[in-house]
Amino acid sequence: MTEFADRWGFAPDKFWLRGERPDHPVEWREELQRWEVYGYPEVNEALSNNDGYSADSGKLFNFDEETAKYFDGDLAQMTGVEHANVRKQAAQAFDPKFIARLESRVRDLSNEYADTLEKFAKFNLLSDFIDHVAGIVFSELLGIPAEDRTMFKLVDQNMDQEAQMTQVGEGTDDGYFEQLTKPLQPLREMLGTHVDAKTKDPKDDLISLLSQVTKVDGSLMTRDQIINFIIGILGAGHLATPLLVGNTMLCLESFPEQYALVKSDHSLIPGMIEETMRYLTPGAASYRATLQDVELGGKQIPKDSLLRVYLGAANRDPRQFTDPDSYDVTRSPNAHLGFGRGAHYCMGGQMVRVETRVVFEVLFTRFPKLRVDPAIPPLFFNSPDFTGVRSGGMHVRID
């Protein structure tokens, strides 16, 4: 049961990848001053019950004004009526017309980069291929020059940090929030320039749309709020595609009968994507704060407690999934939590699904011998909150 994790060298903290189950679905970690939520029903409850739990886990910390400005407007931290209001307006950018254009654009770009790579016996699947396709598409969604996508790598670097949210040691220079915000300053400056320009002269793109979003009080989103919104969906949306592609290759390599099945029948690719989101969940963990005293998994949890919800572990819960440690592209139903659940369900989930599906349709067609290069081990993000291959960390062969 540990073969998959040991083969690829996943960190020990990703215990669910080794088929390990905690003794209890909810546990208190004294040294971190937080509750750990592992079970599927319990994680689902924490994500879905807006009366008992809040996505605004930052409310538990006494931010100074400088730190607070980095989170104001981040959709992942927004709650209540304002969250629903902003999300509804911003979602117009992902309407059916956009999704239809997206499919065509991703296919064209994928074939374009495949043309340049087909002469090689091996290449880096992420930095030579997927990063370009996903980066260009996301740049076009924002309405910024494609060359500016190089700045998106700063979010990648953030995901490579070992920091995690805890109520121990906050307010220090090496605290969780400081590590998240400081490295992103050049990206913020680049985005701010585009926000300024599009606020004055709106176009047909997401930044322009955000500059016209009306908040509940009738005011417009501020410059910092727009920047924070973009950075939030950059991490949750755009970077999810490279993570999902890399993780899928690891799964297919480890389950060759499933790889043969999906290569022979491309209609199984959507199911393959959903199974990867379950089996090797890129967003391994998220955080919630309790709004009142709650009971979860048989434990009494006080108001204003910090919870770390393990989506990756929940997606391996045998109470929800039959044979959870097997990778099955035909699994149905597959109500995984990989894109979240409830009010904060990933707004860019459909974009990620379409991008990943089309990329694999092209890869399987153009490179029928596509496989992970056995001579070069994959490199993973160090963040305990993410599980996946980082940019530059997935070498493949096509010969």
Side-chain angles (χ1 to χ4, degrees), residues 117-130:
L117 295 170
E118 63 182 358
K119 60 188 175 186
F120 301 107
K122 58 184 180 179
F123 56 87
N124 194 297
L125 182 60
L126 300 187
S127 58
D128 292 337
F129 189 98
I130 306 303

Side-chain angles (χ1 to χ4, degrees), residues 33-159:
Q33 292 291 295
R34 75 183 183 207
W35 291 88
E36 310 284 81
V37 185
Y38 308 115
Y40 183 98
E42 293 78 19
V43 169
N44 186 45
E45 170 72 7
L47 296 178
S48 304
N49 182 353
N50 297 324
D51 294 327
Y53 307 88
S54 173
D56 183 15
S57 48
K59 68 190 287 293
L60 301 177
F61 303 90
N62 295 318
F63 289 147
D64 57 38
E65 186 175 340
E66 180 65 21
T67 301
K69 78 175 186 180
Y70 289 104
F71 299 95
D72 186 21
D74 180 359
L75 197 64
Q77 295 281 326
M78 210 178 293
T79 61
V81 176
E82 193 68 89
H83 170 263
N85 169 61
V86 171
R87 182 183 175 105
K88 180 179 180 180
Q89 294 179 69
Q92 297 173 34
F94 303 93
D95 64 13
K97 289 183 179 179
F98 167 76
I99 295 299
R101 293 196 304 270
L102 173 71
E103 176 159 357
S104 174
R105 183 64 171 139
V106 172
R107 194 174 303 280
D108 288 345
L109 286 169
S110 295
N111 277 305
E112 178 183 327
Y113 278 93
D115 288 342
T116 66
L117 295 170
E118 63 182 358
K119 60 188 175 186
F120 301 107
K122 58 184 180 179
F123 56 87
N124 194 297
L125 182 60
L126 300 187
S127 58
D128 292 337
F129 189 98
I130 306 303
D131 287 352
H132 293 294
V133 174
I136 291 171
V137 167
F138 198 80
S139 298
E140 292 173 351
L141 170 67
L142 294 179
I144 67 176
E147 55 266 27
D148 284 354
R149 71 184 186 277
T150 56
M151 298 293 287
F152 297 165
K153 291 304 169 191
L154 292 177
V155 179
D156 265 18
Q157 294 171 24
N158 253 24
M159 292 168 63

Side-chain angles (χ1 to χ4, degrees), residues 10 33 37 70 80 132 153 168 175-176 190 219 228 273 288 305 338 342 344 358 363 367 391 394:
F10 284 102
Q33 292 291 295
V37 185
Y70 289 104
H132 293 294
K153 291 304 169 191
V168 177
Y176 175 78
M190 181 272 284
S219 64
N228 293 337
I273 293 169
R288 290 295 184 270
S305 294
H344 284 81
V358 173
L363 286 172
F367 307 129
S391 180
M394 170 64 72

